[in-house]
Amino acid sequence: MNFRGRDVVSIREFSRQEIERVLHVARDMLPVAERRKRSNMLDGYVLSTFFYEPSTRTRLSFQSAICRLGGRYIGFADPAVTSMKKGETLADTVKMAEAYSDAMVLRHPHEGAARLAAEFCSKPVINAGDGAGQHPTQTMLDLFTIKEELGSIDGKTVAMVGDLKYGRTVHSLSYALAMFGAELIFVSPRELQMPKDIVESLSEQGAKLKSTTRLDEAVKEADAVYVTRIQKERFPDPNEYQKVAGIYQINAALLKDAPEDLIVMHPLPRVTEISPEVDPTKHALYFKQAFYGVPVRMALLALVLGEVE
Ligand code: CP
């Protein structure tokens, strides 16, 4: 198992054993992420964070991760302030990340952008979300959350709710959960079902899958409910968005009959799909899940930069 110099583009390029290694290192990073312990493991390293799309958690947790380990970051959160405005290509821009830093984190609206960046950059490229494609580091922190909170991933039932068509987090996560032997329930309206190619690929992998439109039924069966935002920005036709906006909501009434130890996860940001009345309940895990992004990203950076084996 060798992570040094490795790109993190798709979760499908990682074996179960490799993901377990990341989760193990992330656990070791927890006291540093919580500032109970100090570390200079990445002293002298510079990380590029190039974000061509809005982000709160992914960008800031990567920046927090490198800072907590004694390194620094450069980058941008808005491509309008870069030379892309003058017509510079992504390929030329990532050459600058290679020249100025030791690893690059890239978020881009186009599926395949991280793969392209990895071809043009000899330093590790970490995909922080490419359009409706993949979001592998989110998947790793989602797995970490399930493992930390439920004790294991194998044999657990995870209901994925909402925008399964455009939601890159659920695409990446479903592959990983299947690899870990979890059962999946897909809850979505017909218009936002999990893409056929992904369902076929999961079935070939031997995944245990179910699809339904009934959130109330799925909640009773699940160990974890993974809620997603219906992503207005990815709909080619705004009228199609209006048909499904607000279709599902996790609220106190729905959770009344839920299993005692059900956890509610969300990659965030949320809009209306989880009512704020759920926040103080024992089911609400989404803010802790967002925090877990820091130790998991610390672990990944330390591994790809070769400071941890
Ligand atoms: N979960 C996630 O990717 O959040 P951001 O879009 O805020 O980075």
Side-chain angles (χ1 to χ4, degrees):
M1 213 179 330
N2 191 4
F3 282 90
R4 183 194 284 268
R6 197 153 164 192
D7 299 313
V8 183
V9 174
S10 165
I11 198 72
R12 301 193 77 189
E13 292 161 357
F14 289 82
S15 66
R16 176 173 176 164
Q17 198 188 12
E18 286 171 331
I19 295 173
E20 280 173 342
R21 178 70 190 137
V22 176
L23 305 190
H24 183 86
V25 177
R27 187 153 234 238
D28 292 343
M29 294 291 183
L30 264 175
V32 185
E34 289 167 343
R35 212 170 154 272
R36 286 185 280 116
K37 199 172 143 189
R38 290 185 181 221
S39 169
N40 274 321
M41 188 184 279
L42 297 186
D43 182 25
Y45 284 99
V46 176
L47 177 69
S48 285
T49 58
F50 285 11
F51 279 67
Y52 288 81
E53 260 196 345
S55 167
T56 298
R57 279 145 291 276
T58 313
R59 186 170 61 86
L60 299 181
S61 62
F62 264 114
Q63 292 174 351
S64 174
I66 187 91
C67 292
R68 290 278 192 220
L69 291 173
R72 291 168 182 244
Y73 65 86
I74 56 172
F76 55 86
D78 177 2
V81 302
T82 73
S83 288
M84 189 192 88
K85 283 298 269 184
K86 302 174 213 160
E88 187 164 45
T89 62
L90 176 64
D92 283 359
T93 309
V94 304
K95 292 302 277 179
M96 299 306 101
E98 180 183 75
Y100 302 150
S101 65
D102 304 295
M104 173 192 201
V105 178
L106 175 73
R107 172 169 288 186
H108 199 279
H110 296 149
E111 200 167 331
R115 179 81 58 208
L116 182 138
E119 277 167 27
F120 285 88
C121 181
S122 62
K123 310 262 173 79
V125 171
I126 301 177
N127 183 4
D130 60 332
Q134 291 254 331
H135 194 352
T137 68
Q138 178 72 44
T139 300
M140 289 179 187
L141 80 88
D142 294 338
L143 295 172
F144 186 74
T145 305
I146 295 171
K147 194 154 189 232
E148 287 297 299
E149 301 301 324
L150 298 179
S152 70
I153 303 169
D154 309 57
K156 299 294 181 210
T157 299
V158 180
M160 297 187 178
V161 182
D163 182 357
L164 307 187
K165 180 177 178 181
Y166 298 111
R168 58 192 170 204
T169 58
V170 283
H171 297 166
S172 297
L173 183 59
S174 55
Y175 284 121
L177 286 171
M179 186 160 62
F180 275 81
E183 277 185 44
L184 304 175
I185 307 176
F186 295 145
V187 187
S188 70
R190 193 184 47 77
E191 297 87 337
L192 293 177
Q193 280 176 352
M194 186 63 84
K196 264 203 176 75
D197 61 315
I198 297 182
V199 174
E200 280 168 14
S201 180
L202 289 167
S203 301
E204 280 163 23
Q205 229 180 297
K208 289 167 233 146
L209 309 174
K210 244 198 305 199
S211 293
T212 178
T213 54
R214 295 285 303 269
L215 176 59
D216 54 340
E217 287 176 3
V219 160
K220 289 180 197 151
E221 279 181 59
D223 298 294
V225 177
Y226 191 94
V227 190
T228 61
R229 177 175 65 92
I230 296 187
Q231 301 179 86
K232 192 176 181 178
E233 68 276 21
R234 306 226 186 270
F235 279 73
D237 177 355
N239 294 324
E240 290 301 309
Y241 170 74
Q242 288 308 332
K243 283 188 204 163
V244 290
I247 192 161
Y248 295 120
Q249 192 190 49
I250 305 282
N251 52 36
L254 183 87
L255 292 177
K256 200 162 57 64
D257 300 322
E260 186 78 356
D261 44 8
L262 174 81
I263 59 170
V264 177
M265 299 171 64
H266 192 310
L268 302 176
R270 69 171 155 183
V271 188
T272 56
E273 59 279 3
I274 301 179
S275 166
E277 69 193 12
V278 178
D279 297 358
T281 72
K282 60 183 181 308
H283 301 294
L285 246 293
Y286 28 95
F287 292 120
K288 195 167 184 192
Q289 178 187 355
F291 160 71
Y292 283 147
V294 179
V296 169
R297 288 169 174 137
M298 288 164 84
L300 264 179
L301 291 175
L303 285 160
V304 300
L305 292 170
E307 293 298 329
V308 168
E309 296 258 303

